Amino acid sequence: MRRGKTVIPIHTLETAHGHGVVLRRLHAAGTGDILQPEAHRDDHYLFLLVTSGSCRFMIDFKQHDLRQNEVIYVYPGQVHVCTRADQVQAVALSLAPSLIPAIYSGALETVNGLQQPASLDTAATGILLQGLQLLEQLLEQPADMFFRQQMLAGAIDVCTGIFTGAYKDGQQADTNSNRPEMIMRQFRALLVNHYLTLRTPSAYAAALHISAAYLSETVSAQSGFTVHHWIHEQLMLEARRRLYHTDETIKEIAHGLGYEDHAYFSRLFRKKTGLTPQQFRAHSRK
């Protein structure tokens, strides 16, 4: 890794189509052919289908091996990189969060941070490949094509439906979810997107328009952990990201995460991970 790196790159969704969607067909005979070899974040969802060969994908320190007809996704803000490729061919679909139908985004929010490669059966793979091909063709059509936007939305619906359906845990989260499940899902979605600005249970409760006591009771009952636990876990994940992927000092990382007392930050980090920030950085980079 290059020295002197002070930020984790953020890739934005740049598209000439102006629809918040980019579809890429990727080919890599070996690791040296990987299109984006540097760890980075995206400001959008990334869905990946491997059509042949294999690759290794790292998402927030977890290594995932993907093979033919397997899918995985990355939610906005996660740090990820492809670290190995072996004659791999894949299709990558990048989508602005606003384009993902609510029923699918709700299901994905129950999996975010826990996602693993998921296998598709032959029928699902066939439908997904057809959906991706249709989406690709629609993106190539002129902007003034009649009903183009509606057809794009339909193709996106099909593709995201297949990707989301691959996660059986996510299939449990539908419109029939009870209120505590819905609140837990909404809390997790807020947490992964606003952990730098919302720092207390009361702040999350206010954003969800419920009392802090009800939020605490619901989160504890649904997950077995307190709201404070989840807030600190998300902040410590970001700390690990910055320790590994940048050369910021411990003090800079602490201040960047909102901890004015970097000594307190170091104690909290050690309590959560079992290592001091310095030890984690040295160990993880070996």
Side-chain angles (χ1 to χ4, degrees):
M1 183 172 60
R2 296 193 309 269
R3 309 307 297 173
K5 185 176 174 183
T6 58
V7 296
I8 301 171
I10 299 177
H11 292 188
T12 59
L13 193 59
E14 297 177 358
T15 167
H17 307 289
H19 295 292
V21 52
V22 170
L23 191 149
R24 296 186 179 93
R25 296 188 180 274
L26 308 175
H27 308 271
T31 303
D33 301 317
I34 293 172
L35 179 63
Q36 297 173 338
E38 183 179 41
H40 61 279
R41 310 176 195 265
D42 293 330
D43 68 350
H44 50 272
Y45 273 92
L46 172 67
F47 298 91
L48 187 72
L49 165 66
V50 174
T51 56
S52 66
S54 65
C55 64
R56 178 168 293 167
F57 215 62
M58 185 176 78
I59 306 175
D60 281 336
F61 307 104
K62 297 177 182 176
Q63 300 280 357
H64 305 288
D65 290 319
L66 289 102
R67 297 174 179 83
Q68 185 174 8
N69 295 346
E70 290 187 336
V71 299
I72 201 164
Y73 78 93
V74 182
Y75 66 80
Q78 281 192 300
V79 179
H80 59 283
V81 64
C82 183
T83 59
R84 183 185 61 78
D86 182 10
Q87 301 297 331
V88 67
Q89 296 190 49
V91 184
L93 176 61
S94 299
L95 283 173
S98 60
L99 294 184
I100 299 177
I103 191 170
Y104 302 145
S105 61
L108 292 173
E109 284 162 6
T110 69
V111 186
N112 284 351
L114 306 172
Q115 63 264 46
Q116 299 280 335
S119 297
L120 297 179
D121 60 28
T122 302
T125 301
I127 295 170
L128 180 55
L129 287 170
Q130 291 179 55
L132 291 167
Q133 183 177 16
L134 175 60
L135 181 57
E136 187 175 43
Q137 292 171 338
L138 287 169
L139 288 170
E140 294 172 352
Q141 300 306 307
D144 58 357
M145 177 184 181
F146 286 125
F147 306 116
R148 179 171 179 268
Q149 193 62 39
Q150 289 78 8
M151 289 187 286
L152 278 171
I156 289 171
D157 195 322
V158 170
C159 294
T160 53
I162 295 293
F163 276 114
T164 306
Y167 290 88
K168 291 181 173 56
D169 289 340
Q171 290 176 326
Q172 305 302 319
D174 57 24
T175 52
N176 296 318
S177 296
N178 60 39
R179 181 163 170 75
E181 290 172 344
M182 181 180 67
I183 288 172
M184 185 66 198
R185 192 164 66 244
Q186 292 173 335
F187 166 67
R188 288 185 61 177
L190 277 174
L191 182 63
V192 299
N193 289 305
H194 300 286
Y195 58 90
L196 291 178
T197 55
L198 301 179
R199 306 299 296 262
T200 64
S202 59
Y204 284 96
L208 293 171
H209 306 290
I210 59 177
S211 71
Y214 183 48
L215 175 64
S216 296
E217 177 185 340
T218 300
V219 170
S220 294
Q222 288 289 308
S223 69
F225 296 99
T226 66
V227 176
H228 277 296
H229 166 85
W230 288 114
I231 292 172
H232 286 310
E233 283 294 304
Q234 188 66 38
L235 286 166
M236 292 303 103
L237 170 59
E238 179 62 19
R240 296 200 306 274
R241 290 167 173 165
R242 298 188 185 191
L243 285 164
Y244 179 76
H245 293 290
T246 81
D247 292 308
E248 287 184 296
T249 66
I250 308 303
K251 186 175 182 180
E252 288 170 338
I253 291 173
H255 288 178
L257 296 178
Y259 295 98
E260 294 184 6
D261 184 349
H262 65 275
Y264 169 75
F265 163 77
S266 294
R267 292 195 298 272
L268 180 62
F269 187 92
R270 183 169 187 172
K271 179 180 178 182
K272 291 292 184 180
T273 68
L275 299 170
T276 67
Q278 295 89 339
Q279 289 171 334
F280 175 84
R281 172 170 275 170
H283 179 74
S284 64
R285 290 183 175 183
K286 288 181 179 178

